[in-house]
Amino acid sequence: MKNLTKLFLGAVSLVGLLGGISAPASAQDAAAAAPPAPDWALAGFIDVQSDYKFRGISQNKRDPSPQGSLTLTGPDGFYASVWTSTVDWQLAGQNDNPSVEVDIYGGKHTDLWGVDWNLEPYYYAYPSANVAGGPTADYFELQNTFSKAFGPLALSASWAWSPTFSLGGGTGNALYGNATYTILDWLSISGNLGHQWVQAAKFNNSSDYTYGDIGLTATYKSFVLDLRYSGTDLNTATCGYYMGTTHACAGDVIATLTYNFNLLP
């Protein structure tokens, strides 16, 4: 936990130092000349990750995961989205159980004295999960995110609450934050730090845990390449409650290649 905290604080310190560098004038001019956003828009992306990690834990046996998403954006800050990915938790020792995750979520952005508040109901679905009569793998979270940009530096803080976590885990809570600094108009550095609580963890030889990551993101036209180190403070024994696959909670470098597209307008 201490190493992860130091890693994140080091990223924030670097972001702070870089904050003294002015953004390129061309980027500032482009932002000022940007047309107003349309009332309705439909956009999406497809990507492949070398390992799909959720809050620091591998969801796909540390194997590559193709993913995709669509988001419909409406007036007054409302939006609705669907996102999907391959997964493999190996529930009950079975490969590809479940084999797919489908997330359905929406929300609204509200301006609070210059701070963006995003209230987001979020549902995680695992339609192929075979739980053999046990608690469902599906679960719901209510997520609140507060974010603000300070020139090229963007900060956010989030709280996610679940009344019943996946597989009957009881109440779940997560607190997490992000710091992103735009170095150039095509390159940024970012870090995430979070802490996850699951009520049933302490009754199953595990505990709450801290996770974090740091990485670089490069964009070229509609393509985005992200490279980052991600890890948790869980060891092999305590990781077993959250994920039964080998080394699911160990730190490693994740590569993600994304293609973004617009369908409307």
Side-chain angles (χ1 to χ4, degrees):
M1 177 175 176
K2 290 181 178 178
N3 289 336
L4 284 172
T5 304
K6 289 179 180 178
L7 179 66
F8 180 77
L9 292 177
V12 173
S13 298
L14 178 57
V15 165
L17 289 173
L18 291 170
I21 304 174
S22 298
S26 59
Q28 295 174 350
D29 294 341
D39 285 342
W40 294 95
L42 180 62
F45 68 83
I46 54 175
D47 72 41
V48 60
Q49 292 190 354
S50 60
D51 180 15
Y52 162 34
K53 284 197 169 189
F54 176 69
R55 294 178 187 160
I57 298 178
S58 175
Q59 306 293 300
N60 198 43
K61 294 193 310 183
R62 296 167 66 96
D63 289 336
S65 294
Q67 302 171 339
S69 177
L70 284 173
T71 297
L72 177 66
T73 304
D76 301 319
F78 286 99
Y79 66 93
S81 301
V82 61
W83 176 90
T84 188
S85 175
T86 58
V87 295
D88 188 359
W89 297 357
Q90 290 190 326
L91 290 177
Q94 301 174 19
N95 285 327
D96 299 318
N97 185 23
S99 61
V100 65
E101 175 182 339
V102 180
D103 297 353
I104 302 169
Y105 55 100
K108 184 182 187 306
H109 291 273
T110 302
D111 180 75
L112 297 176
W113 304 283
V115 175
D116 179 76
W117 171 35
N118 183 23
L119 177 64
E120 186 176 77
Y122 202 111
Y123 189 77
Y124 304 82
Y126 304 89
S128 62
N130 178 8
V131 295
T136 180
D138 298 4
Y139 68 105
F140 168 83
E141 279 189 337
L142 182 62
Q143 301 181 5
N144 287 269
T145 298
F146 299 89
S147 58
K148 185 173 178 60
F150 303 88
L153 173 64
L155 301 175
S156 69
S158 303
W159 168 46
W161 168 79
S162 174
T164 306
F165 203 73
S166 184
L167 301 172
T171 304
N173 284 279
L175 292 174
Y176 45 98
N178 169 275
T180 300
Y181 179 77
T182 301
I183 304 170
L184 300 169
D185 58 359
W186 59 271
L187 182 66
S188 64
I189 182 173
S190 62
N192 295 276
L193 183 67
H195 196 85
Q196 174 77 63
W197 294 265
V198 177
Q199 185 178 17
K202 62 184 177 182
F203 303 115
N204 290 273
N205 301 314
S206 188
S207 65
D208 51 271
Y209 70 95
T210 298
Y211 61 93
D213 64 67
I214 182 173
L216 291 169
T217 304
T219 61
Y220 176 73
K221 296 184 178 180
S222 296
F223 292 93
V224 181
L225 177 63
D226 184 89
L227 295 173
R228 66 186 50 247
Y229 178 83
S230 173
T232 75
D233 65 350
L234 290 166
N235 57 36
T236 301
T238 54
C239 180
Y241 168 75
Y242 292 96
M243 189 62 60
T245 57
T246 305
H247 305 304
C249 302
D252 60 356
V253 175
I254 309 299
T256 304
L257 180 63
T258 303
Y259 175 75
N260 296 293
F261 56 88
N262 294 307
L263 298 177
L264 290 174

